[in-house]
Amino acid sequence: MNEAPPKPLKAPDIDRVIRYHIQTKHHFNRYARSLGYLDWSSQPDPFRRFEGAPLIALPLLAPDESPRSPVYDALFRYGSVDSQPVSIRSLSRFLELSLALSAWKKSGASEWALRSNPSSGNLHPTEGYLVIPQSEGLDLQSGLYHYAPKEHGLEWRAAFPDEELARLMSPFPSGAFLFGLSSIHWREAWKYGERAFRYCNHDVGHALGAARVAAATLGWKMALLEGMEQRTVARLLGVDRSSDFVSAEQEHPDCLAVIWPDDASHDAGADVNPQEIPLLLDTSIVDALAAMTWQGKANRLSSEHGVHWQAIDEVATASWKKRADKQILSLTVLFDRDAATGDGYAPSSSALSAAQIIRQRRSAVSFDGQTSVAAATFFRMLRRTVPGVEYKQAARPVPWDVWPYDPALHLMIFVHRVEGLVPGLYLLVRDPAKLPFIQASLSQELIWKRPLICPEDLLFYQLWEGDVRYVAAQLSCRQSIAADSAFSLGMLAEFDSRLQAEGAWFYSRLFWEAGLLGQILYLEAEAAGVRGTGIGCFFDDAVHALVGIEGITFQSLYHFTIGGAVEDRRLLTLPAYFHLNRQ
């Protein structure tokens, strides 16, 4: 009798990220390891600064000042937003709508800031950077800048020679600049312990989505430079400079993206195809720039840490992207604009500008248990989460044109109050090619029934019928916000197969995609006159058991809920930059 061949062993790094993921699950009888209480004496400063780096104040623009924001729905219609030149004013608006403060909350003597990009626990581990070349109409020196959101200013970290930076940017359209993100894991670990690495990567996805939408309000394009090894990101952002972080919490390099005006010309060099954008940078030029003179030392965020979560260091190392891939974004794309860019989407009922929706976005802390959403609104929200995998990346609608991968996450939806839909558990398949795989991976007792009112272009199925409010709340760490909303959802990721196909580094990308989904759901909720909130706390394996998931074929990565918010009127809301006027 022939024995079955042994199963191939997982690569060590993949095994490490899987071990971390399993180790940081919440269970009914125990939660992932954390301190168990909030040590207020070590609470991190929410604002990173680089002492000694010159700070260039950005103009604080009123909503009616130029550049003005288009209406929200225009962001999803191809060619409907006029492209703005890159200037100090347009950069200010871009940062305002992506990473800036959006308001302050005040209770008694306590004040805390909210931002345009959401964050788990409002802890904001994500730091933003710009690499700006010298250009006409932009009165900034070439170099790397760190964005300081409290001051709404740019800290000039390094001066890069014009000619070297021009060489680095030569493959990209004129007016292009680079946008980078890093994470300070301690900011999340202070509250959430070992599970914090997950939440930091959620926040990277939220920040990417916030940046893509902010760029779209200015008619700008954006591409994630995913072809690079992570070392290159660290070198260009300067977060590998140990001498600049002697006593300060280290920053983890996450990603770089290129942003450019949509109407920009492409003065490519002789060896560059003007209709293509490479999704990586010349490492020799990056190394030369990293050898230049740097300015500023990072501030220490906590005087002491109390506990160090070694598991976060280990998974950060295991998920480090060690290789470069020659990825290309084609700019010459033929597509059906109605289908691919959102012209065919049912418009929202909101006449608000995109900027107003971004500024007013909040995470709901309580829902009224009564508000419902119309079926047309519900399905429009779901449509905005689907990138249209049959189209090439550049043809996808905002924000999915920034994402160079096919969808890996699918939405398990607890419907409570959606007009025309029977309450129950549903599933949205975001990639049609994965439907057979998903059906084979879930319980064979699910009914897979398509509602009659479901649009033909959405793969939306009822799995079982009934009141799922109690189940939704119990699975989301017994939080009533998952039951009192109009609907809530869990994001099921193709897990083992994607890690095996791509590598351990793709672990963070799964969470980035979850954050991107969360960001578009936040904005869609505001446009519909309701409110959303992300849920990072859920009982992982209990969620899987609900639909019969065994092993690690699929894993739940993030939950979200949308409904009628109940405002806490004990809190006073103050303008985003009132503190600058009182100084």
Side-chain angles (χ1 to χ4, degrees):
M1 181 177 178
N2 293 329
E3 293 184 358
K7 293 183 179 179
L9 296 175
K10 290 181 171 62
D13 283 343
I14 294 177
D15 184 67
R16 291 186 185 99
V17 299
I18 290 174
R19 188 163 59 244
Y20 166 82
H21 187 77
I22 293 173
Q23 177 180 329
T24 57
K25 288 182 176 182
H26 290 322
H27 301 273
F28 281 126
N29 61 335
R30 63 176 174 84
Y31 288 85
R33 291 180 62 212
S34 68
L35 197 59
Y37 63 93
L38 295 181
D39 179 8
W40 295 109
S41 66
S42 63
Q43 182 182 15
D45 186 333
F47 300 108
R48 158 100 340 140
R49 290 295 307 274
F50 288 90
E51 184 178 353
L55 178 69
I56 295 93
L58 294 170
L60 290 170
L61 303 174
D64 59 351
E65 286 188 85
S66 177
R68 298 182 63 181
S69 173
V71 295
Y72 175 69
D73 282 326
L75 303 184
F76 308 96
R77 295 196 299 268
Y78 181 82
S80 62
V81 179
D82 292 336
S83 188
Q84 300 292 321
V86 178
S87 66
I88 199 70
R89 293 176 67 88
S90 58
L91 277 179
S92 176
R93 189 70 86 191
F94 166 72
L95 289 166
E96 175 206 346
L97 300 181
S98 57
L99 301 179
L101 308 189
S102 58
W104 286 81
K105 291 291 184 178
K106 183 178 175 63
S107 177
S110 299
E111 293 177 354
W112 60 95
L114 308 180
R115 304 196 197 183
S116 295
N117 56 314
S119 170
S120 304
N122 199 38
L123 296 170
H124 292 284
T126 312
E127 295 295 322
Y129 291 86
L130 299 180
V131 176
I132 303 175
Q134 188 74 36
S135 65
E136 185 179 352
L138 182 58
D139 189 20
L140 286 174
Q141 297 294 317
S142 296
L144 172 75
Y145 294 84
H146 169 254
Y147 178 58
K150 186 177 181 181
E151 293 77 15
H152 192 51
L154 292 173
E155 292 183 299
W156 192 18
R157 284 279 286 131
F160 294 156
D162 294 344
E163 61 278 7
E164 284 295 296
L165 192 49
R167 281 207 307 132
L168 183 73
M169 301 300 293
S170 62
F172 305 116
S174 59
F177 62 93
L178 301 179
F179 173 75
L181 295 174
S182 67
S183 296
I184 304 174
H185 294 150
W186 164 246
R187 278 212 185 108
E188 290 289 324
W190 169 75
K191 180 177 181 180
Y192 296 114
E194 287 185 345
R195 200 169 165 103
F197 186 76
R198 297 183 180 209
Y199 300 160
C200 287
N201 282 291
H202 283 159
D203 284 4
V204 172
H206 278 298
L208 281 173
R212 180 63 194 104
V213 170
T217 68
L218 297 159
W220 293 351
K221 295 293 188 183
M222 179 174 172
L224 193 59
L225 300 180
E226 275 290 83
M228 293 187 301
E229 59 179 344
Q230 208 155 348
R231 171 189 172 277
T232 307
V233 180
R235 294 282 282 161
L236 191 60
L237 298 185
V239 298
D240 64 342
R241 295 177 52 79
S242 57
S243 61
D244 292 349
F245 294 85
V246 173
S247 62
E249 294 79 1
Q250 198 70 34
E251 295 183 25
H252 179 79
D254 292 309
C255 59
L256 280 167
V258 60
I259 299 174
W260 70 97
D262 191 21
D263 58 358
S265 61
H266 197 160
D267 302 322
D271 297 328
V272 177
N273 185 335
Q275 299 305 321
E276 294 181 341
I277 287 183
L279 299 182
L280 72 169
L281 299 173
D282 187 319
T283 56
S284 64
I285 302 176
V286 171
D287 287 341
L289 294 175
M292 300 298 167
T293 301
W294 291 71
Q295 307 171 98
K297 305 292 182 182
N299 63 326
R300 185 174 175 86
L301 305 179
S302 295
S303 58
E304 58 182 43
H305 287 193
V307 62
H308 181 77
W309 301 103
Q310 185 66 27
I312 294 178
D313 296 342
E314 292 173 356
V315 72
T317 299
S319 60
W320 187 272
K321 189 178 182 186
K322 302 177 180 67
R323 70 173 191 268
D325 308 301
K326 192 175 182 181
Q327 296 185 30
I328 298 294
L329 173 64
S330 175
L331 298 181
T332 54
V333 182
L334 298 176
F335 55 87
D336 177 347
R337 291 183 178 180
D338 280 353
T341 65
D343 286 349
Y345 287 180
S348 70
S349 58
S350 176
L352 293 176
S353 71
Q356 179 57 40
I357 287 175
I358 293 168
R359 293 186 189 104
Q360 74 180 39
R361 184 214 58 80
R362 303 284 186 270
S363 294
V365 295
S366 179
F367 292 109
D368 59 18
Q370 299 177 358
T371 299
S372 62
V373 299
T377 299
F378 175 74
F379 287 121
R380 188 194 68 246
M381 291 180 181
L382 296 191
R383 269 200 179 103
R384 291 268 162 85
T385 70
V386 179
V389 294
E390 64 269 33
Y391 302 103
K392 293 183 179 180
Q393 180 189 342
R396 291 177 178 176
V398 171
W400 300 109
D401 56 347
V402 80
W403 193 242
Y405 309 107
D406 287 341
L409 275 66
H410 310 276
L411 307 184
M412 183 176 69
I413 306 173
F414 301 86
V415 171
H416 309 315
R417 281 173 291 276
V418 176
E419 296 170 9
L421 279 181
V422 176
L425 183 67
Y426 294 78
L427 186 76
L428 176 70
V429 178
R430 296 178 60 242
D431 183 348
K434 304 298 175 51
L435 179 59
F437 172 53
I438 296 172
Q439 289 178 318
S441 301
L442 304 189
S443 170
Q444 299 307 298
E445 297 181 1
L446 302 173
I447 62 176
W448 292 95
K449 177 183 177 182
R450 294 201 68 193
L452 293 176
I453 63 172
C454 177
E456 292 183 4
D457 60 333
L458 285 180
L459 294 181
F460 179 74
Y461 299 90
Q462 184 187 56
L463 300 183
W464 44 275
E465 179 182 329
D467 187 339
V468 290
R469 289 175 295 176
Y470 177 80
V471 173
Q474 289 299 301
L475 293 179
S476 292
C477 293
R478 305 182 180 94
Q479 297 179 81
S480 60
I481 54 173
D484 294 339
S485 57
F487 66 95
S488 61
L489 57 90
M491 302 179 189
L492 297 178
E494 303 162 19
F495 196 74
D496 190 46
S497 61
R498 283 299 184 99
L499 293 180
Q500 297 299 330
E502 303 288 351
W505 61 270
F506 205 74
Y507 182 65
S508 59
R509 273 61 176 180
L510 294 173
F511 286 96
W512 295 1
E513 185 178 341
L516 269 166
L517 282 164
Q519 186 64 14
I520 198 65
L521 287 170
Y522 264 123
L523 299 180
E524 283 294 300
E526 295 291 339
V530 287
R531 185 145 287 174
T533 193
I535 303 175
C537 187
F538 49 85
F539 298 119
D540 302 58
D541 287 340
V543 175
H544 307 148
L546 182 67
V547 289
I549 294 172
E550 297 179 354
I552 56 171
T553 305
F554 284 87
Q555 293 287 281
S556 183
L557 299 189
Y558 193 22
H559 285 205
F560 204 88
T561 185
I562 291 176
V566 176
E567 301 293 340
D568 188 343
R569 302 197 180 280
R570 296 171 299 176
L571 302 181
L572 177 65
T573 300
L574 301 169
Y577 288 97
F578 85 100
H579 59 287
L580 297 184
N581 295 325
R582 69 181 181 184
Q583 290 178 356

